[in-house]
Amino acid sequence: MSKSPEPEPGERRKHKVIIVGAGMAGLSSANHLAKNGCSDFLILEGRNRVGGRIVSIDMGMQKVELGANWIHGVLGNPMFELAMQHGLVSIINIPKPHKVVAATEDGKQVPFQVLQEIYEAYVCFLRRCEEYFLCQYLPPPDIHSVGEHIKLEVDLYLNGVECQKEKRLRKLIFECLLKRETCITGCHSMDEIDLLELGSYTELQGGNIVLPSGYSSILKPLCENLPAENFRLSCPVRRIHWKRKAARRAGPVSATDTILEEDEDGDESDDSDRTVTEVPVEGGSASNAGSDSLAHKLKTSTANVLVECEDGTVYEADHVVCTLPLGVLKEHSESLFVPALPQYKLDSIDSLLFGTVDKIFLEYDRPFLNATITEIMFLWDQEPLDAKTEPSADDDPEQRLKEQWYRKIYSFSKVSDTLLLGWISGQEAEHMETLSHETVAERCTEILRQFLKDPFVPKPKRCVCTSWKQQPYSRGSYSAIAVGASQDDIDNIAQPLYSSPHQSKPSVLFAGEHTHSNFYSTVHGAYLSGRTAAQILLTPESPQEIVIESDSSDLSSWIQGIALD
């Protein structure tokens, strides 16, 4: 822990705003507050660094991204604007030549025109899935997911191919592209993604932009205007006490004193609408260490929110901006908030998907791939784990996962001549996280030797694998809309909480990529959600009256008086 529970000299425990999490949403929120004259905020971060799911490391002669990889789109993207403003990206973005080869398990390469034909058909199928979000017509009955719809399209497409060998080859390419899509979307299988909601994600034009100095370089301009004393790193939050009244019941204080809370719907005249939260004062589990002082603070504090940290420190705030990732909310939402979050929020947290997507970096002493090739796609023969096949009596899914996890790796692409990158998602990614890097490196070497038909492919000198599911402050990679969920669930999670019906500003606000209904799963979505939360707190409490003067009551002259520039 960065600080002990005992107050350090001069350390303040009361703030106007506390921001939980120093990822992009938290940093964006803090920046917006600071730029608008609010310096009374504190950022609490569980990790010993800022950036959250943005983290770069050095491999060889360059930076590689363990988390966020690209700025997705140029037009209207605040991350691109920030990068341009600080000279982190050149406006002249010359695309590198990109030559993809696809090979079957026996090492045979697929003719490029076949690969191109299938890719174009696949993109067309995916676009058709996206159209349901905006259109009035419905998909075929019993088709609820993107995966089911694409498989239907693929079957119809392949019906026109007479040669069984050619049909099988094209089917393998479609399966490889679907595996790739799980890494883009953030899921185990596209069968998990709601068909009617796929189009809710808004794609910004301009392609994917890589920052030459690493995505982490964008954190510097965000942090340079934020004083170091406004951060507490290595300080995980245990609980957020958000719905309270300063007054307590008359009478002697018992061992389990209670705090009255306003009902959510706020009918103060009706005692039946009040609830009580018990605050243990003595005994209890180890996690309640220091509850004497906490109970005292809860009874005496006039703050809207009390934030209790794992190290026992308690901070008071008028407002809290919670930017914890959806994976962390899924794991801790029921215990993290006191009182518990409203049921509609818990249901939405449960409904949305927070998938695992991991990366495998292989670093070599010397190049071995043909200089013109930038990516090799793997066309695995066996059906994927999520295929709806009849299980045999001895088919154990866990055993199958252990034996075949690597078949979810759909390709390796060149980061440089001596650095390869593979992606893996879902249950297979979670299993990979339990393996040693040496085991992963050995398996990847076998894969490359097999598909390249080259027994002399060298072993990498270094292998780095990410572990986003196992990370306690992420518990996955990014959010997606699962079958049965919708944009409404994102809006429900983003909905602020008020301690009482008379508050003009909320006590708890939520930000992060999972709270942006159009840009979920992106850094720019997180950035915009953090800025929005800060803006709600900065907006004047009473609406400002707008006066429009007019020389006459004539409507046309009033319209002419409006400047249209």
Side-chain angles (χ1 to χ4, degrees), residues 84 108 151 297 305 536 542:
M84 284 294 294
K108 287 179 183 167
K151 280 166 191 163
K297 269 210 170 84
V305 196
I536 289 170
S542 55

Side-chain angles (χ1 to χ4, degrees), residues 470-518:
Q470 290 194 355
Q471 296 296 316
Y473 306 122
S474 61
R475 290 298 185 203
S477 301
Y478 33 87
S479 55
I481 301 183
V483 171
S486 73
Q487 269 186 324
D488 291 345
D489 291 301
I490 294 174
D491 292 336
N492 285 345
I493 297 171
Q495 194 69 30
L497 297 170
Y498 291 79
S499 294
S500 86
H502 307 298
Q503 275 185 302
S504 58
K505 296 285 174 69
S507 290
V508 183
L509 301 97
F510 294 85
E513 51 87 11
H514 57 286
T515 66
H516 198 294
S517 56
N518 296 110

Side-chain angles (χ1 to χ4, degrees), residues 2 50 88 110-112 165 176 272 317 341 413 461 487:
S2 61
V50 302
L88 299 174
V110 176
F112 183 73
K165 193 177 175 185
C176 182
S272 67
L341 291 175
S413 58
K461 69 173 180 182
Q487 269 186 324

Side-chain angles (χ1 to χ4, degrees), residues 154-290:
V154 167
D155 287 345
L156 290 169
Y157 182 86
L158 293 177
N159 280 343
V161 181
E162 289 184 9
C163 172
Q164 288 304 310
K165 193 177 175 185
E166 289 296 311
K167 185 182 284 195
R168 178 68 182 151
L169 182 64
R170 283 160 171 75
K171 190 168 191 282
L172 294 180
I173 299 170
F174 279 122
E175 284 174 0
C176 182
L177 291 169
L178 277 167
K179 286 179 191 174
R180 176 174 175 262
E181 203 65 45
T182 63
C183 291
I184 294 168
T185 305
C187 58
H188 170 66
S189 157
M190 294 308 290
D191 290 350
E192 296 175 330
I193 303 301
D194 195 280
L195 176 60
L196 301 182
E197 293 289 328
L198 185 70
S200 64
Y201 174 80
T202 303
E203 200 168 317
L204 298 178
Q205 296 304 302
N208 291 331
I209 308 295
V210 176
L211 296 184
S213 48
Y215 211 137
S216 291
S217 62
I218 213 159
L219 300 173
K220 190 181 176 189
L222 284 167
C223 292
E224 61 190 6
N225 298 320
L226 304 176
E229 59 269 21
N230 286 37
F231 286 86
R232 266 204 70 188
L233 302 180
S234 302
C235 183
V237 167
R238 180 191 291 157
R239 282 189 200 91
I240 297 168
H241 302 261
W242 63 276
K243 192 177 176 192
R244 320 166 35 262
K245 278 183 72 174
R248 66 176 188 270
R249 283 181 176 157
V253 176
S254 67
T256 54
D257 200 7
T258 56
I259 299 164
L260 284 174
E261 298 161 354
E262 302 283 6
D263 181 70
E264 214 172 297
D265 298 318
D267 186 355
E268 282 197 75
S269 62
D270 183 358
D271 257 4
S272 67
D273 278 343
R274 295 175 184 271
T275 57
V276 294
T277 299
E278 291 190 353
V279 180
V281 173
E282 54 191 0
S285 65
S287 67
N288 284 325

